[in-house]
Amino acid sequence: DGGITQSPKYLFRKEGQNVTLSCEQNLNHDAMYWYRQDPGQGLRLIYYSQIVNDFQKGDIAEGYSVSREKKESFPLTVTSAQKNPTAFYLCASRSLGLPADTQYFGPGTRLTVL
Amino acid sequence: AQSVTQLDSQVPVFEEAPVELRCNYSSSVSVYLFWYVQYPNQGLQLLLKYLSGSTLVKGINGFEAEFNKSQTSFHLRKPSVHISDTAEYFCAVSDYGSSNTGKLIFGQGTTLQVKP
């Protein structure tokens, strides 16, 4: 089945640690996105990438880093510089073939800082 | 800059009653509009989208939405809800200029609570 997978589903981090969230897609989509979701705030864009080896900051990139070495993969690292990392993180992907093609979302990773 | 406002944070409704979830947007350019649904601890699933043409858009699970350019609104409706419709609903907008990037601006979300 084609789709987007995120792992792990739940992640616990101690303060001061960096953690990496995985996002993989087998939809052959060009673009991939990372969003952060907090209660009552909707989704906010962290980073996005339209092609391999290229990515752009979204609205809340501080304290996060990404890489795009393969088309299928777009891992997100939450660094110790992120002051309030506890949140639900969603990855999405999209084809660039047509304007406003739908973004498809993964199941999410819930990160909790202990 | 674009923005999206979902006017109700929570909407309680009884099963088989009609429901409307309200969404207003602000943009100086033409936009694409989307409604997504999120079940607890899951990702988002597209319900419907408006790109152009007919202002009444039909989606999955019996939902529909109407684009009103003069009122800058894109309200979501369902004539008869089921318990299984209990979820969080997000309205989102993307302008033509950023359509190549696919950047979406999301509203804050509306929790639909369907009661038996």
Side-chain angles (χ1 to χ4, degrees), chain A residues 50-109:
Chain A
Q50 296 184 82
I51 57 173
V52 173
N53 293 323
D54 188 45
F55 47 83
Q56 286 77 41
K57 293 182 179 180
D59 301 317
I60 56 165
E62 185 175 353
Y64 300 97
S65 66
V66 293
S67 63
R68 186 87 186 275
E69 297 178 1
K70 298 186 298 182
K71 187 176 183 178
E72 309 83 50
S73 178
F74 191 41
L76 173 74
T77 296
V78 184
T79 75
S80 57
Q82 170 50 233
K83 299 303 181 188
N84 184 21
T86 294
F88 192 50
Y89 291 87
L90 287 159
C91 178
S93 72
R94 171 178 173 264
S95 169
L96 293 180
L98 294 171
D101 267 351
T102 302
Q103 284 192 27
Y104 293 90
F105 284 80
T109 292

Side-chain angles (χ1 to χ4, degrees), chain A residues 9 33 35 37 40-43 45 48 50 88 90 94 96 99-100 102-103 105-107 110, chain B residues 32 34 36 38 41-44 46 49 51 88 90 99-108:
Chain A
K9 186 173 178 66
Y33 308 81
Y35 293 91
Q37 184 179 12
Q41 294 192 47
L43 280 72
L45 183 64
Y48 65 101
Q50 296 184 82
F88 192 50
L90 287 159
R94 171 178 173 264
L96 293 180
T102 302
Q103 284 192 27
F105 284 80
R110 186 166 299 279
Chain B
Y32 300 127
F34 305 81
Y36 282 87
Q38 183 182 35
N41 292 310
Q42 294 186 24
L44 275 65
L46 182 71
K49 60 183 177 183
L51 305 183
E88 190 156 20
F90 291 96
S99 62
N100 285 337
T101 68
K103 289 176 65 176
L104 293 173
I105 306 299
F106 284 88
Q108 303 91 327

